[in-house]
């Protein structure tokens, strides 16, 4: 099949039944929902994309409580089955995914490992997160159920209007639920892409925040297949990546 299959076409085939939206006992701003749906529709129809994501994540340290960790990600996707991520932070590392395996390499520690995966990006992200506890930057925005999931977990979803951040005009959306608070800033242009987000997890004793800033979005770039293949350095040591169920 020579025609590129869009990410949306692939992941829609994985979701047989969409959650039914319910606005009972909730305050939902329709303008916010329209903007969120537009963002998801556009992202879903991409055949490929690249972006940068600068993020801060709260890590719970027993003697201190929440401590921020800063990460810089460079992300490349090609639907349905190619992904490459480079991350700079306390542990500089990268992932390569080509439809068969997910390769991991730590530049900081010079070790590598791999995980046998599913045949597409979304199923691979789900499996690796559930079984190994690995999070992928910006992955939430690539799910076709993003808006429905947000509504399901929120008591109020509000559109707060236009704001200008670093010279860019954005739509500001806030969603508040019993276990999470979410703030989103979407570009006020044709593409309505996510530019910033703040996720506050209130489900634990300490509220933990995950914040990110997107930049350098490239829509449908022509990315070479070699970008998604990893050549193991001769001096690197192999690492066994163990599922959470086996490590406990």
């Amino acid at each position: 099949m020579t025609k590129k299959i869009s990410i949306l076409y692939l992941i829609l085939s994985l979701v047989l039944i969409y959650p039914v939206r319910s606005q009972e006992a909730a305050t939902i701003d329709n303008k916010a929902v329209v903007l969120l749906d537009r963002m998801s529709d556009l992202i879903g129809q991409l055949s490929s994309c690249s972006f940068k994501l600068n993020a801060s994540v709260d890590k719970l340290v027993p003697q201190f409580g929440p401590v921020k960790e800063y990460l810089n990600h460079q992300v490349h996707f090609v639907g349905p089955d190619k992904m490459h991520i480079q991350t700079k932070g306390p542990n500089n590392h990268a992932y390569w995914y080509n439809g068969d395996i997910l390769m991991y390499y730590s530049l900081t520690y010079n070790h590598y490992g791999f995980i046998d995966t599913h045949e597409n990006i979304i199923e691979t992200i789900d499996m690796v997160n559930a079984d190994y506890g690995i999070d992928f930057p910006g992955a939430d925005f690539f799910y076709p159920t993003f808006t429905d999931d947000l509504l399901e977990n929120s008591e109020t979803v509000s559109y707060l209007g236009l704001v200008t951040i670093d010279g860019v005009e954005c739509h500001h959306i806030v969603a508040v639920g019993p276990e999470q608070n979410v703030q989103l800033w979407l570009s006020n242009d044709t593409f309505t892409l996510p530019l910033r987000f703040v996720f506050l997890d209130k489900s634990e004793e300490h509220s933990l925040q995950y914040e990110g800033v997107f930049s350098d979005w490239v829509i449908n770039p022509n990315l070479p297949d070699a970008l998604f293949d990893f050549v193991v350095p001769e001096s690197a040591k192999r690492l066994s990546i163990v599922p959470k169920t086996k490590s406990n």
Side-chain angles (χ1 to χ4, degrees), residues 63-133:
Q63 61 268 39
F64 301 121
V67 174
K68 286 197 180 296
E69 181 178 281
Y70 291 90
L71 304 164
N72 298 320
H73 308 284
Q74 175 71 63
V75 181
H76 304 281
F77 286 143
V78 174
D81 58 1
K82 291 180 175 60
M83 175 174 63
H84 176 47
I85 300 170
Q86 290 186 329
T87 297
K88 293 182 179 179
N91 171 24
N92 293 340
H93 63 275
Y95 294 99
W96 292 260
Y97 166 68
N98 61 10
D100 296 317
I101 60 173
L102 179 74
M103 296 293 301
Y104 164 82
Y105 175 65
S106 169
L107 288 77
T108 300
Y109 301 108
N110 194 31
H111 58 216
Y112 73 97
F114 66 88
I115 300 171
D116 291 322
T117 64
H118 294 278
E119 296 180 352
N120 58 73
I121 294 170
I122 296 299
E123 281 192 337
T124 292
I125 288 175
D126 274 343
M127 182 272 288
V128 173
N129 178 260
D131 293 351
Y132 297 88

Side-chain angles (χ1 to χ4, degrees), residues 16-37:
L16 299 181
I17 301 176
Y18 280 91
V20 177
R21 293 180 184 174
S22 173
Q23 296 186 8
E24 295 180 3
T27 303
I28 307 298
D29 189 324
N30 187 60
K31 186 169 184 179
V33 174
V34 169
L35 288 166
L36 292 169
D37 280 342

Side-chain angles (χ1 to χ4, degrees), residues 189-201:
D189 58 21
T190 303
F191 294 101
T192 324
L193 291 168
L195 297 181
R196 289 174 179 259
F197 63 83
V198 176
F199 296 154
L200 182 66
D201 183 356

Side-chain angles (χ1 to χ4, degrees), residues 51-230:
F51 59 84
K52 292 180 181 179
L53 178 60
N54 294 335
S56 65
V57 183
D58 285 346
K59 298 292 185 180
L60 195 58
V61 180
Q63 61 268 39
F64 301 121
V67 174
K68 286 197 180 296
E69 181 178 281
Y70 291 90
L71 304 164
N72 298 320
H73 308 284
Q74 175 71 63
V75 181
H76 304 281
F77 286 143
V78 174
D81 58 1
K82 291 180 175 60
M83 175 174 63
H84 176 47
I85 300 170
Q86 290 186 329
T87 297
K88 293 182 179 179
N91 171 24
N92 293 340
H93 63 275
Y95 294 99
W96 292 260
Y97 166 68
N98 61 10
D100 296 317
I101 60 173
L102 179 74
M103 296 293 301
Y104 164 82
Y105 175 65
S106 169
L107 288 77
T108 300
Y109 301 108
N110 194 31
H111 58 216
Y112 73 97
F114 66 88
I115 300 171
D116 291 322
T117 64
H118 294 278
E119 296 180 352
N120 58 73
I121 294 170
I122 296 299
E123 281 192 337
T124 292
I125 288 175
D126 274 343
M127 182 272 288
V128 173
N129 178 260
D131 293 351
Y132 297 88
I134 297 174
D135 294 317
F136 293 91
D140 288 344
F141 293 93
F142 286 83
Y143 281 80
T145 58
F146 178 85
T147 304
D148 291 302
D149 293 341
L150 189 65
L151 295 180
E152 182 180 350
N153 292 287
S154 303
E155 295 172 340
T156 63
V157 178
S158 303
Y159 176 70
L160 299 189
L162 293 171
V163 297
T164 300
I165 303 175
D166 296 332
V168 179
E169 194 172 59
C170 310
H171 299 284
H172 189 190
I173 296 170
V174 175
V176 179
E179 294 189 348
Q180 68 175 28
N181 285 7
V182 177
Q183 292 190 70
L184 302 171
W185 290 265
L186 312 180
S187 63
N188 181 28
D189 58 21
T190 303
F191 294 101
T192 324
L193 291 168
L195 297 181
R196 289 174 179 259
F197 63 83
V198 176
F199 296 154
L200 182 66
D201 183 356
K202 302 183 293 184
S203 62
E204 304 295 338
E205 179 182 356
H206 295 275
S207 294
L208 302 178
Q209 182 171 286
Y210 175 36
E211 183 174 2
V213 178
F214 290 95
S215 63
D216 296 347
W217 276 98
V218 182
I219 304 301
N220 293 334
N222 185 16
L223 299 172
D225 289 343
L227 180 65
F228 305 97
D229 292 325
F230 173 62

